[in-house]
Amino acid sequence: MASERTKPLTDVIALAGESSERGSGFDDLPKRIERYGKAKRRTGLNIQYLSNPVDLCIDEVGYLKRRLEACGNWLVFRNYYTVGETRLAKARFCMKHLLCPLCAIRRGAKSLAAYLDRFNEITAKNPRLVPYLLTLTVTNGEDLQERFNHLVKSWKSYHERRRDWLKKGRGFNELCKVEGAVFSYEFTFSDKGWHPHLHAIILVDPDQLIDFDFKASGLKKSQSRLSQEWLSITGDSSIVDCRPIDTQDPAKSFAEVFKYALKFSDLPPKENYHAYAILKGKRLQGSFGLFWGVKVPDKLTDELLDDELPYIELFYKYTDAGYSVTHHHHHTGGERPQVRIIEPLDDRSDLALEKADKFRSTAWWLIEKRERESQ
């Protein structure tokens, strides 16, 4: 279990630094750009793999490849220099977060910000509640689909037992002590196979703490009620963890829940695509109790400030060398931003990508060009 607890929250493409979807200070922008550049380079490995598909659906591979290639090629930031804020204003994202680390970073930041806001609201109204980071695992296996189904089924069983106690007053267990939780599934891969596990932020009353001593020895941990209940459900794993989070810096623990579902830096492209094929469309995050009902925005750009504020618009283009500023434009505030068309035929629009998917053609740009000429 030590590896689960001590693995860093940051690596070359981690969520760290994206603890808010509302933007950052201008001084933090270089680090943010560097992080996005590393994410784009990792996406490039998946694009290379999709360029030489073997035993794959050619139509789907072509669609995915086009989406990944177009993702994040241009980023437009607004530096609101009078208030010290910099925000991502415009970008095209592929929305394939299981294949694209850049989209995974942005998606995680959106979820983190939304649930951190709810957490602050909850603790303001219920100051007695204390937050813990809960981790539940299942035994490693070669079959990702089977291991994922096993974890999901086990977690649902545990949750259903909690519901039975709340509705019918029977079958009390440690999860019944939880008054609110937000959770996500994570998947790592090694020579031992796939390792699905669940991270959750849970809220409990200090008078009704979960029976698990995170400071105890391994044997004593396995004898805790939390560990024994989980083993009775899974039949193959008593490895769990439950420890208090730093309430002075809750974003760090929330990042553990909302970082990317797949650890791209440890995942070869072949396994990355396999995981995408298995997990796409699956619900990999959830909540209940006091955390229920949080709405996470679909748009992956930042929330913008009042247009009356002056700002400098910075255009970043991605190349093999990373992101670099190509040009900038100063808005004095209150003016209507200029409409700019940047490489209309080379910079693939969402509409063009949809057409390419519809016509299953690599000549998507020709379709768009002909329509433009006919207008």
Side-chain angles (χ1 to χ4, degrees), residues 233-266:
I233 292 173
T234 63
D236 64 14
S237 178
S238 62
I239 300 178
V240 300
D241 192 66
C242 188
R243 57 187 56 226
I245 73 171
D246 181 3
T247 54
Q248 299 301 311
D249 185 19
K252 184 177 180 180
S253 294
F254 273 79
E256 184 70 18
V257 175
F258 293 114
K259 66 181 186 294
Y260 46 86
L262 299 172
K263 193 171 185 181
F264 296 99
S265 58
D266 293 342

Side-chain angles (χ1 to χ4, degrees), residues 135-149:
T135 301
L136 302 173
T137 75
V138 293
T139 302
N140 293 10
E142 296 297 325
D143 189 334
L144 175 59
Q145 180 74 72
E146 184 275 331
R147 287 290 84 191
F148 173 62
N149 290 343

Side-chain angles (χ1 to χ4, degrees), residues 141-308:
E142 296 297 325
D143 189 334
L144 175 59
Q145 180 74 72
E146 184 275 331
R147 287 290 84 191
F148 173 62
N149 290 343
H150 178 50
L151 176 59
V152 171
K153 183 179 179 180
S154 298
W155 175 241
K156 284 184 177 179
S157 295
Y158 210 1
H159 195 208
E160 285 170 2
R161 294 182 185 184
R162 175 181 179 271
R163 286 176 176 171
D164 279 347
W165 182 79
L166 292 175
K167 293 181 179 180
K168 303 174 184 177
R170 67 187 186 193
F172 182 84
N173 59 60
E174 292 303 297
L175 201 61
C176 297
K177 300 176 180 178
V178 176
E179 299 195 26
V182 55
F183 62 89
S184 69
Y185 299 106
E186 184 182 354
F187 310 84
T188 56
F189 180 79
S190 68
D191 55 1
K192 296 181 180 179
W194 290 97
H195 177 54
H197 47 284
L198 176 147
H199 294 299
I201 298 293
I202 62 173
L203 297 172
V204 296
D205 190 297
D207 293 334
Q208 288 286 321
L209 295 179
I210 301 293
D211 182 43
F212 182 87
D213 185 357
F214 68 93
K215 296 180 180 179
S217 65
L219 177 61
K220 189 171 182 180
K221 288 178 181 177
S222 66
Q223 294 173 341
S224 67
R225 283 197 292 272
L226 176 65
S227 183
Q228 289 299 306
E229 287 175 359
W230 185 242
L231 177 60
S232 71
I233 292 173
T234 63
D236 64 14
S237 178
S238 62
I239 300 178
V240 300
D241 192 66
C242 188
R243 57 187 56 226
I245 73 171
D246 181 3
T247 54
Q248 299 301 311
D249 185 19
K252 184 177 180 180
S253 294
F254 273 79
E256 184 70 18
V257 175
F258 293 114
K259 66 181 186 294
Y260 46 86
L262 299 172
K263 193 171 185 181
F264 296 99
S265 58
D266 293 342
L267 203 58
K270 181 179 179 180
E271 280 68 29
N272 197 162
Y273 178 80
H274 174 67
Y276 162 79
I278 296 295
L279 301 173
K280 65 178 179 179
K282 301 291 194 299
R283 188 166 175 261
L284 302 179
Q285 295 179 0
S287 62
F288 62 82
L290 294 175
F291 277 110
W292 175 256
V294 173
K295 301 298 183 183
V296 179
D298 293 326
K299 190 172 71 170
L300 297 187
T301 50
D302 292 330
E303 293 180 5
L304 299 181
L305 300 183
D306 193 332
D307 283 339
E308 296 299 319

